[in-house]
Amino acid sequence: MKAFPGLRQFFRLGAFRADPKEDLDAELDFHFGETQREFLESGMSPAEAREEALRRFGDLSSYRRKLAAIDRKQATRTRRKERFSNLRQDLGYALRGMRRNPGFTLGVVLTLALGIGANATMFGVVDRILLTPPAHVEAPDEVVRLQVHRMSPFTGQPGIMAYQTFSDYRDFLEAGSFEAVAAFGDQDVILGRGEEAERIRAQYSTASIFPLLGVRPALGRFFDEEEAEPGAPGVVVLGHGLWQRRYGGSRDVLGKVLAIGDGTFTVIGVTPPRFNGVDLAPVDLFLPVHAFTVFLGDDRWVENRGFYWLQAIGRLGPHSSPVAAAEEVTALHLNGRRELIDGGRYSEDARIVLGSVKAALGPDAPDEVRVSRWLVGVTVIVLLIACANVANLLLARGARRQRELGIRVAMGISRRRLVGQLLLESILLAGLGGAVGLALGYGGGHLMRSTFLPQVAWFGSPISTRVLLFTLVLAGSTGLLAGIAPALKGSHGRIVQSLRDGGRGGTTRRSRSQTFLLLTQAALSVILLAGAGLFVRSLARAHSLDLGIEPEGLVVAELELDGEWEPEAVLDLSRRAAERLETLPGVQGASFASGIPFRGMMAFDVWAQGMDSLPVARGLGPFFTTVSPDHLETLGIELRAGRMFTAPEAATGARVTLVTENMAQGTWGGEAALGQCLLIQDREGPCWEVVGIVENSNLTRLTGETPWQHYLPLGAPALELGAGPRALFIRTRGDASSLLAPVRRELQSLDSRIRFAYVRLQQDLVDPELRSWKLGATMFSLFGILALVVASVGLYSVLAFNVTRRVRELGVRSAVGASRGHLVGMVLREATGVLGLGVLLGLILATSAASNLGPLLFETSPRDPMVLASVSLLLLLVGLVASAIPAWTASRVDPMTALRTE
């Protein structure tokens, strides 16, 4: 046991108490014996004396029970009074100690507040994303997502596809393993007309979704199967938030006819508060699935097995196993796609997998969610660093208080109570830190919600009841964790030594506990700083990526039109709008196209004349976009070979096309593409001549291979393909955001039938692609800097304390000729030794965990030597700066003053 003195002390804290039952039995036996002796002296025989004594005393067992109960109550009251009195005294003692050292108290409270606040912030995020089931869903564990695992036809890699077609959903309905199956798809729509119009989020759902989830309306009713059929009168269910925000929560909203998109719909109900289906994103209203035809303009989505836009969910039957259910729906899915499989256009090894109803728990979770999971571990590391720092501070202060604690032990205080006093003080400090941490968590929660996770529907305050309870438990646990070692060490009871030293110190023995805690802080700081460096490097490389387009200074406008428009009329309106916008001050040029980069692109079957099929692209595509003649110039896409479209070609409907460099190289071997023929949508159709090759561009995502792309001039042939103008693009000079309002006004005044002009920056469409790296870079950097500051403060405090303890030693060294440089070097060597070992340990841990972080980075190795070297040098440099003051103090020790302290 000598190797574990703290453990030995811990088990010797209690003292054995006398047993009250033995005292009671002894007292009853005494009185019974005295009574029996009196009867013997009066002449009775022993048997008669015992019998009479038993008669006089009655039921001894009953007496014992009653007296024991009285004794227990009295003992309990006494113990309670004693404990309350002791607690009150200990609390007053702890508070007086905290008031005597306001600087120490403030430092500990702030250190713990930062660690607890970071954990409160991330718990609030994780609780909403990962732990809280979808609101109002009955038995959510029985609800599963039906997703397809198959080989991607674009990348050649296996993966999970969350979206299916309507035909797939109808196949799933045949599965007997499910009580019910439902499908839904989200889409932005325009609600209202004129100045009251706004863009909101709608969900197109099958009627089965509401009974499947077990949700009940807050007002009115939900739509039924008949109302979800094609041609049924339009009905709509309002989301609770929209009902409150736009209609003031009035019950008169039932029966109100709303203009939504190109149709009109009657309000029949309102969802309960916080209900957004099974996804995290907010939903403003729910429409029957066949209302999607009104938005799209046709019903090709009903039978087309290439129109992926729906997600499917199912509720497992009471006796169904997930494995058997997955096998059944897989068979139904493959049978429904048998024609495509036989034609080599679909994976025969595709299978249906059943995922959690919470998409954030599935393999296709957004990168922001996956980064958030890492940040939970990061905040725990921050808290551990804070605890290590506080424990170091408490150890240092405990060493200074050895004489005081020794006197208290000498005056009779038990070791149990002394440990309790020290732990109470630690818990009080953690409680104050928790209170301040809640305030930090409130602000941090709002920051996370608005800046990094705006696509999630948040409810109420960032400090919910669950977050509050979590913080309270965390604060108490932190107080115990940070205080247990100092408390045990402070109560070791070396009374004689502590009284003889008189608090002056003089020992040169370094505290192994403090050294271990410093090593821990340094190693954990390396992990955080390395993560910050990797995400910052990823973000910088993503920002510097050549997209092929120039999103900065580019404004995108989408027009929502009233009534039915012929494609030629929409094209004429787009031309007039572009001409009007080019007259605005600050506008460099305007164009229009059928596709919006990072918003939505189209793809048709394409063949090259003389080839059975196009080679398989390494990236997505080939996508196609119909464009005005000057559109590529507006986007900033450069010509590599050949020529661009001309205005006469667009006006006359010439069948010419531009292809990207990767498509030209992959199909024809480069510039040989010029003059070649593309067949679009119809293998026997007319030829589209390749007249130019343009640079590659990322129009769908930042990561992965750059997709193949080809462009067609917006004329009659393009309109025949159903690819009319969808958006206007405005290239600006200077600040593009200042032109959002003028562009919107010009467009809405152009024609009275323009119901709504949705105007935004192209950069706003690109930024969501960067969000996960911004989240990782910001939070890792914030927590890394915090860890660096806390670790440097801990190093400074320990070195300063060690210098104070070694005043006599330093004085002797100085008296015998040690130079100031030698004393400074001695302290700095101590610091660099601890830091160096901590950095080495941190690098080992960081490289071990790096492989798991790799998928979240962008073109950055998780073991990037530049990042790891920079982090190591930074930590060593900050540590040396923190060591400078204690080192300078050591060099200024006066030998005579130091020797007089003895």
Side-chain angles (χ1 to χ4, degrees):
M1 291 295 290
K2 290 184 179 181
F4 305 94
L7 194 64
R8 185 177 68 250
Q9 294 166 15
F10 181 83
F11 285 106
R12 286 164 54 183
L13 291 177
F16 292 102
R17 297 177 178 271
D19 188 353
K21 183 177 181 301
E22 294 180 0
D23 293 341
L24 177 62
D25 289 341
E27 186 174 354
L28 285 175
D29 290 343
F30 171 76
H31 289 293
F32 184 80
E34 287 296 309
T35 303
Q36 189 175 5
R37 185 176 60 79
E38 291 178 2
F39 290 142
L40 286 173
E41 291 177 351
S42 66
M44 291 184 179
S45 66
E48 292 174 337
R50 178 175 177 77
E51 183 178 353
E52 182 61 21
L54 288 173
R55 188 184 66 79
R56 292 277 184 96
F57 267 80
D59 188 354
L60 283 177
S61 299
S62 175
Y63 280 133
R64 283 192 174 91
R65 287 194 298 272
K66 291 178 181 179
L67 291 174
I70 294 172
D71 187 71
R72 283 196 302 271
K73 289 181 181 179
Q74 181 63 35
T76 301
R77 283 196 296 268
T78 302
R79 284 196 301 270
R80 284 177 180 173
K81 288 180 180 180
E82 181 181 349
R83 288 172 182 172
F84 179 77
S85 176
N86 290 343
L87 178 61
R88 184 167 52 83
Q89 293 175 8
D90 294 346
L91 186 61
Y93 173 74
L95 292 174
R96 288 193 299 272
M98 291 163 60
R99 284 198 302 269
R100 282 197 303 268
N101 299 278
F104 172 85
T105 302
L106 181 63
V108 170
V109 168
L110 288 180
T111 300
L112 292 178
L114 292 172
I116 294 173
N119 279 267
T121 297
M122 290 312 304
F123 178 79
V125 171
V126 171
D127 182 50
R128 172 71 181 96
I129 294 177
L130 300 177
L131 303 181
T132 303
H136 303 285
V137 176
E138 293 183 358
D141 292 341
E142 299 174 4
V143 181
V144 294
R145 292 177 182 264
L146 281 68
Q147 300 170 316
V148 183
H149 182 278
R150 69 185 182 102
M151 195 71 68
S152 170
F154 304 111
T155 64
Q157 299 297 321
I160 297 290
M161 294 188 64
Y163 289 89
Q164 288 89 46
T165 69
F166 188 71
S167 297
D168 293 327
Y169 158 70
R170 289 187 299 196
D171 294 337
F172 297 152
L173 290 175
E174 303 299 322
S177 301
F178 295 95
E179 289 185 353
V181 178
F184 64 92
D186 295 334
Q187 182 70 46
D188 286 345
V189 298
I190 302 300
L191 171 63
R193 298 284 189 271
E195 294 183 358
E196 295 183 353
E198 64 174 313
R199 194 178 185 93
I200 60 175
R201 194 70 172 170
Q203 186 174 101
Y204 298 92
S205 311
T206 59
S208 56
I209 194 168
F210 300 111
L212 184 154
L213 297 178
V215 63
R216 295 171 178 80
L219 183 67
R221 63 179 180 84
F222 297 134
F223 47 82
D224 56 28
E225 295 289 350
E226 292 184 0
E227 291 169 319
E229 289 297 320
V235 294
V236 62
V237 175
L238 300 182
H240 196 275
L242 179 68
W243 178 50
Q244 294 289 332
R245 184 180 73 249
R246 188 172 173 110
Y247 303 103
S250 172
R251 300 180 67 88
D252 296 337
V253 74
L254 294 180
K256 188 178 181 68
V257 179
L258 305 181
I260 303 173
D262 291 333
T264 56
F265 298 82
T266 303
V267 178
I268 62 171
V270 177
T271 65
R274 303 189 303 160
F275 177 73
N276 292 298
V278 295
D279 281 343
L280 293 170
V283 179
D284 294 308
L285 49 83
F286 295 81
L287 294 165
V289 67
H290 278 279
F292 186 60
T293 299
V294 177
F295 169 82
L296 193 63
D298 58 60
D299 62 352
R300 66 181 185 271
W301 58 273
V302 176
E303 301 295 338
N304 190 334
R305 287 194 180 266
F307 204 105
Y308 294 92
W309 73 288
L310 291 171
Q311 298 184 65
I313 58 173
R315 181 176 289 276
L316 289 168
H319 304 295
S320 300
S321 72
V323 175
E327 291 176 352
E328 182 182 12
V329 290
T330 295
L332 291 170
H333 179 70
L334 295 177
N335 184 59
R337 289 181 170 266
R338 180 53 54 190
E339 183 178 345
L340 294 175
I341 293 173
D342 293 341
R345 290 183 292 165
Y346 196 75
S347 304
E348 190 169 8
D349 58 352
R351 68 180 190 276
I352 302 298
V353 294
L354 305 184
S356 169
V357 68
K358 293 187 68 63
L361 295 175
D364 59 335
D367 285 343
E368 300 96 299
V369 173
R370 293 193 287 165
V371 173
S372 297
R373 295 175 185 171
W374 270 88
L375 290 176
V376 173
V378 167
T379 53
V380 172
I381 291 176
V382 171
L383 186 61
L384 290 176
I385 293 174
C387 286
N389 189 59
V390 169
N392 246 336
L393 293 174
L394 291 174
L395 283 170
R397 193 180 68 154
R400 295 191 188 100
R401 297 171 62 187
Q402 279 302 301
R403 187 169 187 272
E404 170 201 346
L405 298 176
I407 292 175
R408 292 176 65 80
V409 171
M411 293 178 64
I413 187 172
S414 68
R415 194 168 303 159
R416 174 194 289 267
R417 185 173 177 188
L418 185 58
V419 170
Q421 286 179 345
L422 297 175
L423 280 179
L424 178 62
E425 186 171 352
S426 175
I427 292 173
L428 281 176
L429 291 169
L432 291 174
V436 179
L438 279 176
L440 296 176
Y442 181 84
H446 276 299
L447 176 66
M448 290 288 293
R449 291 180 175 195
S450 60
T451 305
F452 299 113
L453 298 168
Q455 76 279 17
V456 175
W458 300 99
F459 307 107
S461 168
I463 305 300
S464 63
T465 302
R466 288 158 66 103
V467 174
L468 180 60
L469 291 175
F470 170 81
T471 307
L472 291 176
V473 173
L474 185 64
S477 303
T478 300
L480 288 173
L481 180 62
I484 187 66
L488 292 175
K489 190 174 182 66
S491 64
H492 58 66
R494 297 191 181 97
I495 302 171
V496 176
Q497 182 65 38
S498 61
L499 291 176
R500 185 180 64 191
D501 288 346
R504 294 188 296 269
T507 180
T508 62
R509 189 171 60 89
R510 186 190 304 173
S511 170
R512 287 174 294 178
S513 302
Q514 290 177 314
T515 301
F516 171 76
L517 292 173
L518 278 179
L519 284 173
T520 302
Q521 291 182 71
L524 296 179
S525 298
V526 169
I527 296 174
L528 296 188
L529 291 171
L534 293 172
F535 273 104
V536 167
R537 199 167 178 84
S538 293
L539 182 60
R541 287 180 170 170
H543 271 302
S544 63
L545 182 67
D546 183 8
L547 301 179
I549 65 172
E550 298 175 7
E552 293 184 6
L554 189 62
V555 174
V556 183
E558 297 176 72
L559 301 180
E560 295 287 341
L561 306 176
D562 271 330
E564 295 185 3
W565 287 63
E566 292 296 327
E568 292 79 6
V570 177
L571 179 57
D572 180 65
L573 177 66
S574 299
R575 289 195 182 106
R576 289 190 289 119
E579 292 171 359
R580 173 80 69 87
L581 292 174
E582 285 181 339
T583 64
L584 285 176
V587 172
Q588 183 176 333
S591 63
F592 46 91
S594 64
I596 304 174
F598 294 93
R599 178 76 171 87
M601 306 301 294
M602 299 178 68
F604 281 155
D605 289 335
V606 180
W607 296 267
Q609 197 171 47
M611 299 183 185
D612 291 336
S613 62
L614 289 183
V616 176
R618 293 183 62 189
L620 297 173
F623 295 111
F624 87 95
T625 308
T626 57
V627 300
S628 61
D630 51 354
H631 179 63
L632 298 187
E633 181 182 356
T634 303
L635 291 187
I637 298 176
E638 296 180 357
L639 180 69
R640 298 301 193 207
R643 62 178 178 83
M644 293 287 195
F645 301 136
T646 64
E649 285 175 328
T652 59
R655 295 182 184 274
V656 291
T657 183
L658 304 173
V659 298
T660 53
E661 291 178 281
N662 53 2
M663 184 173 178
Q665 182 65 39
T667 306
W668 297 284
E671 293 192 14
L674 295 176
Q676 297 289 342
C677 181
L678 275 182
L679 304 173
I680 301 174
Q681 204 174 24
D682 183 2
R683 193 164 188 170
E684 304 300 326
C687 170
W688 293 75
E689 181 186 357
V690 178
V691 298
I693 301 173
V694 297
E695 66 174 315
N696 299 332
S697 53
N698 292 53
L699 303 180
T700 57
R701 58 183 185 176
L702 293 179
T703 57
E705 295 287 340
T706 304
W708 288 10
Q709 176 82 18
H710 59 108
Y711 302 90
L712 313 178
L714 255 168
L719 297 181
E720 292 174 3
L721 294 174
R726 180 183 173 190
L728 292 143
F729 297 80
I730 303 95
R731 173 64 62 185
T732 66
R733 304 183 189 93
D735 182 15
S737 60
S738 64
L739 282 173
L740 296 180
V743 167
R744 184 178 293 111
R745 285 195 301 268
E746 287 294 325
L747 291 174
Q748 292 193 282
S749 65
L750 181 65
D751 193 298
S752 60
R753 294 172 295 174
I754 296 178
R755 180 168 69 252
F756 185 78
Y758 185 36
V759 184
R760 52 186 163 170
L761 301 175
Q762 177 66 56
Q763 189 64 48
D764 290 341
L765 299 175
V766 178
D767 283 344
E769 292 283 314
L770 302 170
R771 191 175 291 145
S772 63
W773 300 310
K774 285 184 178 179
L775 174 61
T778 303
M779 302 309 293
F780 265 89
S781 296
L782 180 62
F783 293 145
I785 293 172
L786 173 60
L788 189 63
V789 171
V790 171
S792 61
V793 170
L795 178 65
Y796 164 78
S797 61
V798 170
L799 290 177
F801 171 68
N802 284 343
V803 168
T804 303
R805 293 178 68 190
R806 299 168 64 183
V807 165
R808 183 172 180 273
E809 174 202 344
L810 295 172
V812 171
R813 288 178 179 270
S814 179
V816 298
S819 66
R820 289 185 175 180
H822 176 78
L823 297 179
V824 170
M826 183 177 64
V827 175
L828 292 181
R829 281 194 299 274
E830 179 182 353
T832 53
V834 174
L835 278 177
L837 189 56
V839 167
L840 179 61
L841 178 61
L843 290 175
I844 294 173
L845 295 175
T847 52
S848 300
S851 56
N852 296 321
L853 192 62
L856 299 178
L857 304 176
F858 180 70
E859 295 185 357
T860 301
S861 169
R863 297 181 177 87
D864 191 316
M866 183 65 70
V867 170
L868 297 178
S870 301
V871 165
S872 303
L873 291 175
L874 176 62
L875 187 58
L876 289 171
L877 179 61
V878 171
L880 289 176
V881 172
S883 310
I885 296 178
W888 182 82
T889 303
S891 70
R892 306 290 295 178
V893 171
D894 182 7
M896 297 306 297
T897 303
L899 293 174
R900 279 199 299 268
T901 61
E902 188 61 29

